[in-house]
Amino acid sequence: MPKVNGQVNSPLTSAAPPELPPPPMVHTPPGTPFTTEAIKELIAHLEVPFHPSVIEWRVINTSKKDPHRGQVIPYADQRAYTDRLNELFTPAGWTRKYVVHTSANFQRDKDHKTVAKVFVTCELTILGLGLHSATGEEWADNDNAGTAAEAQAFKRSCACFGLGRYLYHFSRV
């Protein structure tokens, strides 16, 4: 996908995502793989940018001299990913499985605090397309460490199928 940062008609600044024909029917018998054409069409629908209304911005860096200056990146809540999968495949057409691990305590560079990490691996299976897995991580002293690592793992697994992948092409703003 070409860079969309700074483009006037980028997916995040346009009123609506690009128009594609309706998604293909995915009612195939269980275990029946999709045709090559159907796979290409499904991937194209997975790659459609989210509607701008579901995009949020996260501050990732702030200036030590001026806390009102910083860098932000776009992201979508994991519910947007779930909604797209349900829309294309129905809730019965895909599944996810999580495995949680924690590390031993070690000293964090940023604040020299001794903390463990929570690692969550998400296996995302889309019936007829395949399986991809990815890992998310968060410091264990975060009250929402498990949820944050789970969401990160799920969204990274989705990106393997093209869903939300365009968000990785934004440089920091």
Side-chain angles (χ1 to χ4, degrees):
M1 172 174 238
K3 281 191 172 182
V4 292
N5 249 1
Q7 292 181 359
V8 175
N9 293 323
S10 78
L12 294 183
T13 59
S14 62
E19 291 297 320
L20 283 177
M25 297 301 290
V26 293
H27 304 290
T28 59
T32 304
F34 293 109
T35 65
T36 303
E37 295 79 28
I39 291 172
K40 287 179 183 177
E41 199 173 332
L42 287 166
I43 296 299
H45 282 281
L46 285 167
E47 291 176 343
V48 171
F50 294 116
H51 191 276
S53 66
V54 301
I55 299 300
E56 298 180 42
W57 296 85
R58 176 177 295 129
V59 176
I60 55 169
N61 290 317
T62 56
S63 167
K64 289 181 182 174
K65 293 180 182 179
D66 181 2
H68 295 98
R69 292 182 50 88
Q71 294 177 321
V72 295
I73 57 171
Y75 73 97
D77 185 89
Q78 75 174 358
R79 288 176 288 252
Y81 291 77
T82 300
D83 291 346
R84 178 71 58 85
L85 290 169
N86 286 342
E87 174 188 321
L88 289 173
F89 304 103
T90 77
W94 67 279
T95 186
R96 61 186 156 192
K97 180 175 97 175
Y98 295 104
V99 178
V100 180
H101 299 281
T102 55
S103 71
N105 288 337
F106 58 95
Q107 190 174 43
R108 185 165 48 199
D109 288 339
K110 183 173 112 182
D111 59 5
H112 304 292
K113 195 173 177 182
T114 301
V115 184
K117 269 197 161 181
V118 174
F119 297 94
V120 176
T121 301
C122 175
E123 268 187 14
L124 173 63
T125 303
I126 299 177
L127 303 178
L129 282 184
L131 175 146
H132 285 291
S133 65
T135 301
E137 62 183 81
E138 184 56 64
W139 293 103
D141 61 344
N142 174 345
D143 289 341
N144 297 311
T147 303
E150 176 187 303
Q152 187 181 71
F154 175 61
K155 292 190 282 186
R156 286 177 173 173
S157 296
C158 288
C160 294
F161 286 105
L163 179 55
R165 189 170 187 82
Y166 76 100
L167 293 169
Y168 290 92
H169 296 289
F170 281 81
S171 57
R172 297 173 180 183
V173 179

